[in-house]
Amino acid sequence: MKKSIVWLASYPKSGNTWTRIFLANYFANEDKPLSINDADRFGFGDSITSMYRKVAGGPIDPRNKRQVLDLRPRLLNAIASNGANVNFIKTHNVDSQVFGVDLMPPQLTRAAVYIIRNPLDVVLSFSRHFATSHEDTVDLMGRSDYVTEATDKQVTEYRASWSDHVTSWTQEKRFPVHVMRYEDLLADPVTGFKRMLRDTGLPVDAGRIEKAARFSSFEEVSKQEQAGGFKETSDLSERFFTSGTSGQWQTELAPALAKKIRKQHRKMMKKYGYLE
C-alpha cells in the first residue's frame, strides 16, 4: 500500500486551519487568494461522518464508536490508494490505538505535520469556538480520557489531554513528524512554512511560499470570513478568525487557571519553550 498520507495534526485551536489554507494556496498557485471555503479541496478531516458512510456503503450510527473504528482502516486505505502522491488529512486525534485500531497507521503514512500552541492561549480560542467557560476548557484539556460526542456530521475524536496529545505526536515516532510552534509561524510564516514543506519531502518554491503566506494571512482570511462567512465556523461562535495573535492569556485568563495549566502541563510546556 502506498504511503501517501500526510497528517496535519494539532490539538484543537492551534493553527491547523491556517496551515491548511496556506497549503491550499501553495498548491493551487493562483494569482489571487483561494476562497477559504475551498481549502478542503486540498485536505479533509478524518472525523467527517459522511466519509464513513461512503466506505460503509450505507447508513451508520456515528455514535457507535466500535462501528466507526472498524470502518477507519477501510477509509484510510481508500484514501491512500486513490492515486495521489500526497493526501493531506487534518486530525485532532491523538496518535494512538483505540480498541486495537491504529488511528494513524504507519504503513499508509508518508509524514506528519504537528502544530503546537501555548496551551494558555489554546484555552481562550477553544472557549470562544465551542462556547465553553475557561474553567471547563481547562478541565477538558487536563483529562486523559477526553473524547468528543459524535454527531450526524462528525464522529468521535479521541483527543485526550493537551500533554497526552503533544506527547503522542512528538515522541518515539514511527514516521517522520515535523513539529512547528504556532508562535514561530506568527513571527515568520515564510520561514516556518518553508521548513514544513522541506521536512515533509514536499516541493519547495520560494516565490510560491511567499505568495501563499500572503494569501493565507490573518488579514486576508478574516476579510474573507467577514465578506462571505466560513463553513468551519462553529454554530456556537460568531467568528472563526478572531485575533491572529499570541499572548492574550496574559490579560484574559484568570491567574488561578493559568497556574493550573502550568501545573498540569509543565513537562510539555517546558519542552517546547512555554515555561522557563
Side-chain angles (χ1 to χ4, degrees):
M1 186 63 66
K2 188 174 182 180
K3 292 188 175 186
S4 68
I5 293 175
V6 174
W7 297 102
L8 302 177
S10 70
Y11 207 76
K13 309 310 296 178
S14 298
N16 201 308
T17 300
W18 179 20
T19 302
R20 288 186 293 121
I21 292 173
F22 165 82
L23 286 167
N25 278 284
Y26 182 73
F27 286 106
N29 196 27
E30 302 284 353
D31 57 4
K32 63 180 181 179
L34 198 68
S35 168
I36 55 176
N37 288 309
D38 287 339
D40 56 2
R41 288 167 39 199
F42 295 83
F44 36 79
D46 64 347
S47 301
I48 302 171
T49 301
S50 60
M51 294 172 59
Y52 289 85
R53 290 196 185 103
K54 186 174 182 179
V55 295
I60 66 167
D61 179 4
R63 295 162 186 82
N64 185 328
K65 296 181 178 64
R66 295 273 187 168
Q67 182 185 29
V68 171
L69 285 168
D70 285 345
L71 289 169
R72 187 176 177 91
R74 288 170 55 186
L75 172 61
L76 297 181
N77 271 281
I79 293 170
S81 59
N82 66 6
N85 288 325
V86 177
N87 288 287
F88 294 108
I89 302 182
K90 164 197 169 182
T91 185
H92 291 316
N93 284 296
V94 290
D95 179 13
S96 183
Q97 289 194 358
V98 179
F99 296 129
V101 176
D102 195 337
L103 298 182
M104 316 297 163
Q107 68 271 21
L108 305 179
T109 300
R110 171 174 174 164
V113 174
Y114 188 74
I115 310 119
I116 185 171
R117 184 184 187 186
N118 190 334
L120 295 165
D121 278 326
V122 171
V123 170
L124 302 179
S125 188
F126 190 111
S127 294
R128 283 192 296 266
H129 188 74
F130 296 107
T132 58
S133 68
H134 291 174
E135 292 81 1
D136 287 346
T137 301
V138 170
D139 287 341
L140 281 177
M141 290 174 61
R143 284 177 46 187
S144 292
D145 62 349
Y146 173 33
V147 299
T148 64
E149 293 295 326
T151 68
D152 289 337
K153 293 183 178 180
Q154 282 203 315
V155 301
T156 295
E157 291 183 340
Y158 300 88
R159 295 177 177 174
S161 73
W162 182 85
S163 289
D164 291 337
H165 202 281
V166 174
T167 301
S168 78
W169 278 101
T170 62
Q171 296 185 6
E172 299 180 7
K173 295 312 301 172
R174 303 165 296 165
F175 43 77
V177 178
H178 174 75
V179 180
M180 58 184 188
R181 299 196 327 160
Y182 176 82
E183 295 78 14
D184 296 334
L185 277 180
L186 284 177
D188 188 349
V190 170
T191 297
F193 285 130
K194 180 179 179 180
R195 288 172 177 165
M196 176 191 74
L197 293 168
R198 181 196 64 203
D199 289 355
T200 50
L202 298 170
V204 175
D205 182 301
R208 286 172 62 179
I209 291 171
E210 291 180 5
K211 181 172 67 172
R214 290 198 314 273
F215 287 175
S216 59
S217 68
F218 176 79
E219 291 75 18
E220 173 59 34
V221 298
S222 180
K223 180 180 70 176
Q224 286 195 35
E225 183 180 20
Q226 289 183 51
F230 183 38
K231 62 186 180 184
E232 294 186 27
T233 301
S234 167
D235 294 337
L236 304 172
S237 177
E238 292 184 4
R239 298 275 307 276
F240 188 97
F241 303 105
T242 56
S243 67
T245 61
S246 63
Q248 288 183 301
W249 67 268
Q250 297 176 64
T251 56
E252 296 184 24
L253 189 63
L257 291 177
K259 182 178 180 181
K260 184 175 182 179
I261 292 169
R262 291 191 190 98
K263 182 177 180 181
Q264 289 178 327
H265 307 292
R266 176 169 298 278
K267 182 178 179 181
M268 286 296 107
M269 287 184 73
K270 188 171 183 179
K271 179 178 175 66
Y272 289 100
Y274 298 122
L275 284 177
E276 295 296 332

